[in-house]
Amino acid sequence: MSLQGEGFCDHCLLPLGRRPLQRMLNGTERSFCCYGCCIAYQVREGRGEDAEAAWLLIRLGVAAFLSMNIMLVSLFLYMGVFSGADARLLPWVHGLLFAFATPAVVLLGQPFLQETVQHAAAGRLNSSALVVVGVASAYFYSVFAMFNGAHVYFDTASMVLLLFTLGRYLEAAGRARASRDLEPLLAAESEIATVVLDGVETRRSVRDVMPGMLVRVLPGDRIPVDGVISEGESNVDESVITGESRSVHKAPGMPVIAGSVNFDGPLLIRSSGAGSNTRWARICRSVRDALSHRSPTQRIADRVVAISVPIVLALSGLTAVYWTQSQPFDQALLIGVAVLVVACPCAVGLAAPLATTLGIGRLARCGCLVRDPGVLEALAGLQCVAFDKTGTLTVGRPTVVDIERDGVETEDVLVRASGLEQYSEHALARAVTAAAKLRGIRPARAQNIRIVPGRGILGTFGGEPMAAGNELLMSDLGWPLSSHLRARACAIEADGHSIIDVGWGGRVQALLALDDTPRPEASAAVAGLESRGMHLVLLTGDLQEPARRIAAVVGIGQVEAGLSPEAKRQVLHRLRKERGAVAMVGDGLNDGPVLADADVGIAVGSATALARETAALVLPDGGLWMLPWVVDVARAVRRTILTNLLWAFGYNLIALTAAALGFLQPILAAAVMAGSSVLVVMNSMRLQQLPDPDPSEIAGRQAQAFHQEPSPNTSAVKAEYQPTA
């Protein structure tokens, strides 16, 4: 029987006591009786940044003991204690310093040397090379000086490494803290589910959970699958996915989200999908992929570091040669070492990655998937945002409100139209199939289906071609509208409704009029973006009047209607020339190419699979209102990166000048550089204090419902298609 998690330390299994140490490790809350057990557990069981920080802390502890003794003995040397009659003790003192310094240099210098060798084998040098060259110069000069009776600088070699390692530990601790916040998001792939099969519980990987399986979740456990509760009641924390910090009460028949935490009672959940395809798993994969890439600013900083290292090595050598003309060799060497140490661009290499990681994690915790770190920089520089209409600014659940026929039966129209539209993911297509289902009409068994993006859909029924789409599709087919249908089309468009032309037999036989309402959060998103200086455009394949009607309600001034996907791309290119970087927000099948072509493609959570895969940023379902907040986070990340880089480069330049002029000793130079890294870490960690998105901003901006007076010949049809209460 395990004692872990039952009031005992997770490492040594002793009682926790009254003030246990709580720490989130590997995605799980752990309890320890003391800090020593916490460090030991991280070394033994930790992964990634936590394990690295723990090892660095252990190295620091051992090396600090050795270095402090070295500094104490060296202080006596600088004071001249071992001169005169005590000079005979000097070789023994040097030997003692050598005995203390050698393990300290080996212990602390091994990671720097390993990095230098690895990069040198790849044909490049990094900042570790500067530390290795500087420390090796001081150490081996001191070894040589031991046999000549000259002054030794073992204190310089050990303390430079100690201070740089301290800086690295603080960096690793900052990254570990950032990654610790991301651990619940990144645990989806390694989650284990308790599956109930024929009354028997088995533990298996969440990747092996299939739709329809029953999964048991105990109190305190994380729910591993999306599904519906079959048994049990509990309060659930869904903040890891939705960003909402308040717990939500769940009862049988209610849906639950993978990644949320079960608080109170045991739950039996029937999985609604594959365990590897939950939103939690998609967020996990998205965050991992994003963190594995480097943003444009990071790549530029990396190139600057790669160029600067050889230059600094040359400058250090020239500085040492210059000072040998007026200073003893050992003093000139120390000045050269100080140049190497103070020019180490550790803070430059840390400036962008930490801020970017924190920004991606901040968005992911609220359900926003970032596919590439460059998205944050692109979002921060946006000048224009283009929106699709149906399903993005509107609810995406339009209803059929009128059917105009030309000598054919209503039932025949819906049989053929629904037979085609059942193969489309477009919101208007779903409205047609819903209208047929409401009347109990079975769709036609259409064949040879072909979707024409931005136009409609084609097929055959009984060997006869038929089509459903817009007027452009019918024009391409050469199928005319009768004068009666054309007149009715003009009237329907004037009312602001969308139209689907349904044709067979070589002509348009009927018109379907559909209506949609804007999303309640659309006006809040539009107002928020406008207040941040964005120019907003509505791009849609729908008709001009319905498009203008929606745009007027949500507050968008510029409307481009009747566009095919290719035409939308051309408009994006024009907007890019006029206004700079452009984002496209969409959710439909025909939005995929447009989202991929924009500077930033943004899909909402209800988007089709193609839209989600081609979008650089995916907002949670119903999360359009979060878009202004996402822009704020991106701008905060960019400001942090620029501040970090300005500080790092400016700090390095001033310190490098001071070192070259002989004003900095190597130990002080190492302390200066460690301080620079600490300031960059602290500045980046401020991103964790960014406010959460505030859903209350939607209040007061609810879109007004459309109240159109029905024409005499449509009121009966509208009533016929409205579901009864």
Side-chain angles (χ1 to χ4, degrees):
M1 177 179 176
S2 174
L3 297 177
Q4 291 182 337
E6 300 179 3
F8 295 90
C9 177
D10 281 302
H11 176 67
C12 68
L13 302 183
L14 291 175
L16 290 173
R18 289 181 297 177
R19 301 181 64 182
L21 178 65
Q22 304 286 339
R23 179 67 61 86
M24 178 70 72
L25 295 174
N26 302 336
T28 306
E29 188 77 21
R30 300 292 182 183
S31 301
F32 303 99
C33 61
C34 64
Y35 191 67
C37 282
C38 178
I39 295 298
Y41 185 88
Q42 290 180 63
V43 171
R44 188 187 68 182
E45 302 288 347
R47 298 192 300 265
E49 304 293 351
D50 276 315
E52 180 183 350
W55 270 115
L56 283 172
L57 187 59
I58 292 174
R59 288 174 183 269
L60 274 175
V62 176
F65 169 77
L66 297 172
S67 297
M68 291 303 103
N69 283 280
I70 293 170
M71 287 299 296
L72 180 62
V73 176
S74 297
L75 181 62
F76 292 141
L77 286 177
Y78 293 134
M79 294 172 60
V81 172
F82 302 105
S83 60
D86 295 324
R88 65 183 184 281
L89 298 177
L90 198 57
W92 294 98
V93 173
H94 286 173
L96 180 63
L97 290 174
F98 174 78
F100 280 135
T102 300
V105 169
V106 171
L107 184 64
L108 297 180
Q110 184 265 337
F112 295 95
L113 180 60
Q114 185 176 355
E115 287 182 18
T116 301
V117 172
Q118 289 175 347
H119 283 82
R124 61 182 185 274
L125 296 175
N126 68 339
S127 58
S128 294
L130 301 181
V131 179
V132 169
V133 173
V135 170
S137 300
Y139 177 80
F140 287 111
Y141 172 82
S142 299
V143 172
F144 177 77
M146 285 174 55
F147 301 100
N148 295 330
H151 196 78
V152 296
Y153 297 98
F154 288 117
D155 57 326
T156 298
S158 60
M159 286 303 296
V160 164
L161 281 175
L162 182 69
L163 291 170
F164 267 103
T165 304
L166 175 62
R168 285 202 168 190
Y169 166 71
L170 294 173
E171 295 170 16
R175 292 195 302 268
R177 182 178 173 186
S179 63
R180 205 173 293 132
D181 291 337
L182 286 174
E183 279 178 350
L185 293 171
L186 300 179
E189 296 171 336
S190 59
E191 190 73 5
I192 300 297
T194 302
V195 178
V196 181
L197 294 174
D198 299 326
V200 179
E201 295 186 0
T202 57
R203 302 274 289 172
R204 62 175 63 185
S205 170
V206 71
R207 293 189 294 269
D208 299 328
V209 177
M210 294 292 107
M213 286 185 173
L214 291 174
V215 177
R216 189 175 302 282
V217 182
L218 298 177
D221 289 347
R222 199 173 288 278
I223 297 173
V225 295
D226 293 335
V228 177
I229 296 178
S230 295
E231 295 179 10
E233 288 190 40
S234 182
N235 290 307
V236 172
D237 177 11
E238 299 179 340
S239 60
V240 70
I241 303 297
T242 65
E244 175 58 55
S245 58
R246 291 175 298 181
S247 61
V248 182
H249 182 72
K250 298 291 184 178
M254 299 181 69
V256 290
I257 308 171
S260 50
V261 178
N262 177 24
F263 279 156
D264 304 322
L267 297 175
L268 189 63
I269 299 168
R270 186 171 297 278
S271 173
S272 59
S276 59
N277 197 37
T278 64
R279 180 166 180 79
W280 185 28
R282 292 199 300 272
I283 290 176
C284 174
R285 290 192 292 269
S286 175
V287 172
R288 286 192 188 278
D289 290 343
L291 294 179
S292 67
H293 295 89
R294 304 185 76 77
S295 68
T297 300
Q298 288 175 248
R299 290 193 290 268
I300 293 173
D302 290 343
R303 287 197 292 269
V304 170
V305 170
I307 294 172
S308 67
V309 169
I311 294 175
V312 170
L313 287 170
L315 179 61
S316 173
L318 292 174
T319 301
V321 170
Y322 171 79
W323 282 102
T324 53
Q325 300 177 19
S326 58
Q327 297 285 342
F329 176 77
D330 59 339
Q331 295 299 317
L333 178 63
L334 286 182
I335 295 175
V337 170
V339 170
L340 282 175
V341 171
V342 83
C344 186
C346 300
V348 176
L350 187 67
L354 183 57
T356 302
T357 299
L358 290 168
I360 292 174
R362 190 72 187 84
L363 295 176
R365 288 200 302 276
C366 292
C368 302
L369 278 69
V370 177
R371 299 193 181 279
D372 190 281
V375 170
L376 297 179
E377 296 183 31
L379 277 172
L382 276 184
Q383 299 297 321
C384 179
V385 179
F387 289 91
D388 178 48
K389 181 177 76 71
T390 305
T392 302
L393 290 177
T394 63
V395 174
R397 292 190 296 272
T399 56
V400 176
V401 296
D402 192 8
I403 299 179
E404 295 291 341
R405 298 162 288 122
D406 189 11
V408 295
E409 296 297 324
T410 300
E411 183 172 341
D412 197 19
V413 173
L414 286 176
V415 165
R416 293 173 180 267
S418 61
L420 289 172
E421 299 290 14
Q422 65 181 329
Y423 296 100
S424 173
E425 296 188 36
H426 199 281
L428 297 181
R430 291 194 293 268
V432 174
T433 56
K437 183 178 181 180
L438 191 64
R439 287 177 61 98
I441 293 175
R442 178 175 295 180
R445 298 176 66 87
Q447 298 175 326
N448 303 318
I449 299 297
R450 182 165 65 91
I451 295 176
V452 184
R455 294 286 200 273
I457 188 169
L458 304 171
T460 59
F461 176 54
E464 181 183 31
M466 59 181 182
N470 57 24
E471 188 176 351
L472 294 174
L473 177 63
M474 301 304 166
S475 177
D476 292 342
L477 294 173
W479 292 1
L481 277 78
S482 66
S483 57
H484 165 68
L485 290 181
R486 190 170 297 279
R488 290 303 307 143
C490 292
I492 293 171
E493 289 178 15
D495 286 342
H497 299 315
S498 301
I499 295 177
I500 294 179
D501 294 5
V502 183
W504 66 89
R507 68 188 183 93
V508 178
Q509 303 282 3
L511 305 175
L512 303 180
L514 300 98
D515 193 16
D516 198 359
T517 56
R519 289 183 179 272
E521 68 269 19
S523 57
V526 168
L529 292 173
E530 282 189 333
S531 68
R532 288 159 176 80
M534 305 283 188
H535 177 75
L536 306 181
V537 185
L538 177 60
L539 305 182
T540 179
D542 208 346
L543 300 172
Q544 189 72 232
E545 287 304 320
R548 290 191 179 280
R549 182 163 164 257
I550 295 294
V553 172
V554 301
I556 296 178
Q558 183 178 345
V559 178
E560 304 272 354
L563 301 176
S564 65
E566 184 58 38
K568 288 183 180 180
R569 296 173 69 181
Q570 293 174 0
V571 173
L572 284 183
H573 290 312
R574 191 188 76 220
L575 291 172
R576 188 178 291 115
K577 291 180 181 178
E578 294 173 355
R579 300 186 177 275
V582 180
M584 177 70 194
V585 187
D587 84 320
L589 179 65
N590 60 349
D591 294 325
V594 189
L595 293 175
D597 204 45
D599 294 289
V600 182
I602 304 172
V604 293
S606 57
T608 61
L610 177 61
R612 285 195 301 267
E613 290 303 317
T614 54
L617 171 68
V618 181
L619 301 177
D621 194 9
L624 184 64
W625 62 275
M626 296 171 65
L627 188 53
W629 173 79
V630 171
V631 173
D632 288 343
V633 172
R635 289 179 175 179
V637 170
R638 183 178 64 171
R639 283 195 304 270
T640 301
I641 291 174
L642 293 178
T643 304
N644 287 346
L645 289 175
L646 180 63
W647 169 262
F649 280 117
Y651 198 83
N652 273 32
L653 184 60
I654 295 173
L656 182 62
T657 303
L661 294 176
F663 296 140
L664 287 179
Q665 291 294 315
I667 295 176
L668 182 58
V672 165
M673 293 317 301
S676 176
S677 297
V678 170
L679 289 173
V680 166
V681 170
M682 292 175 62
N683 187 47
S684 299
M685 297 304 289
R686 291 169 56 240
L687 290 171
Q688 292 186 319
Q689 307 303 318
L690 289 174
D692 290 330
D694 185 7
S696 65
E697 291 182 5
I698 300 178
R701 298 185 184 276
Q702 298 288 339
Q704 300 298 318
F706 299 122
H707 297 289
Q708 299 286 347
E709 289 296 327
S711 57
N713 65 330
T714 64
S715 58
V717 180
K718 286 183 180 180
E720 182 180 0
Y721 283 105
Q722 295 300 320
T724 57

